[in-house]
Every structure is written in C-alpha cells, then in structure tokens.
Amino acid sequence: QPQAEDNRRLQAEWQALSQDAQARVAEARPNEALQGLAPTTMAPEAIARLFAAADSAGLLLSQGEYRQVSEKGSGLSQYQITLPLTGSYPAVRAFLNEAMDREPGLALVGLKLTRASVTQSELDARLQLILYLREAG
C-alpha cells in the first residue's frame, strides 16, 4: 500500500513536471532554448557525470544503453539513455535530483521500479532518459 501511494504521487509529480517542461519549451524561442544546452562534443562527459551521480547516490549501475538521434534542422541532438539501477528508493530519488541538477538538457522519459518482495529494501529501477545536446556549428 505505501508503495502504491508513492507511485500515484510520483506519477502526478511526473505529469506536472512534464507539462511544465512542455510549456517552457513552447514559450522559449529556439535559439534561447539551445544556448543552455551542452554541445554534442560534451556527450561523453555528460554521461560520465550520470555515472558519477549514480555512484554518489550509492546505486549499482549495470551496463546502460545509449543511442544518439539527430533532429535535422532543429539544432538538437538527443541521446536516448536507458539505465538499469539497483539500490534503495531514496538513493534512486537522490540520483535523479543530482543528475537533473547537473545536466540542464536531461529529461526523464520513463521510470520502472520493481522489488522482488515487499520486505526487500533494495529495488531494481530502469530509467529512460533523454539528454538533449546542441549540434555543433
């Protein structure tokens, strides 16, 4: 029951943040929005900061999946990132807070939390993130 309530609260929080982000993108002029993003050449450093944030939160990070997608004519490049993590719920939250603070172009797209049993404190998390980067040139 407590996890179900947390899930409902997190879903509502995620929806509100998603709507806020969409509204901000719609209001921003394209050039202004791109200025705050790191260039694509900084992708390896950004991913290294994600790994450091996971380590700092005390999470076990399995092999992540990364895929770069360029949006022609938009000046943007996306890194679609899937991170399988193992740790406590507070550690996952701490990781997300730190990662989002460190990377202005990072967006949480999906989050799946599973636990082997109700009594187990560790959980398996699968995060789907998009890192938006500015195309060079």
Side-chain angles (χ1 to χ4, degrees):
Q1 184 68 8
Q3 280 80 24
E5 291 173 11
D6 280 344
N7 285 342
R8 282 191 291 274
R9 182 181 52 78
L10 288 173
Q11 185 69 22
E13 187 178 308
W14 179 74
Q15 288 290 342
L17 289 172
S18 177
Q19 289 172 355
D20 182 52
Q22 289 172 2
R24 288 179 189 221
V25 168
E27 292 172 2
R29 287 186 235 132
N31 289 339
E32 288 178 14
L34 294 178
Q35 289 175 353
L37 300 178
T40 55
T41 56
M42 300 298 288
E45 290 87 351
I47 291 171
R49 285 190 293 271
L50 289 177
F51 276 82
D55 187 51
S56 153
L59 293 168
L60 175 64
L61 174 58
S62 301
Q63 181 68 35
E65 299 170 20
Y66 314 93
R67 187 170 67 123
Q68 183 179 6
V69 179
S70 293
E71 297 181 19
K72 296 197 187 301
S74 71
L76 284 176
S77 183
Q78 292 182 22
Y79 266 82
Q80 297 174 348
I81 305 167
T82 301
L83 297 178
L85 302 166
T86 302
S88 69
Y89 175 77
V92 172
R93 289 288 304 221
F95 164 74
L96 282 172
N97 288 337
E98 185 175 346
M100 300 301 245
D101 284 345
R102 287 185 181 191
E103 300 301 327
L106 189 65
L108 177 64
V109 179
L111 172 65
K112 180 179 180 183
L113 302 173
T114 57
R115 190 181 313 248
S117 73
V118 177
T119 59
Q120 185 179 8
S121 64
E122 296 287 301
L123 53 86
D124 293 317
R126 186 170 182 86
L127 281 67
Q128 294 175 316
L129 305 161
I130 294 180
L131 177 61
Y132 291 97
L133 300 168
R134 177 175 30 93
E135 288 284 341

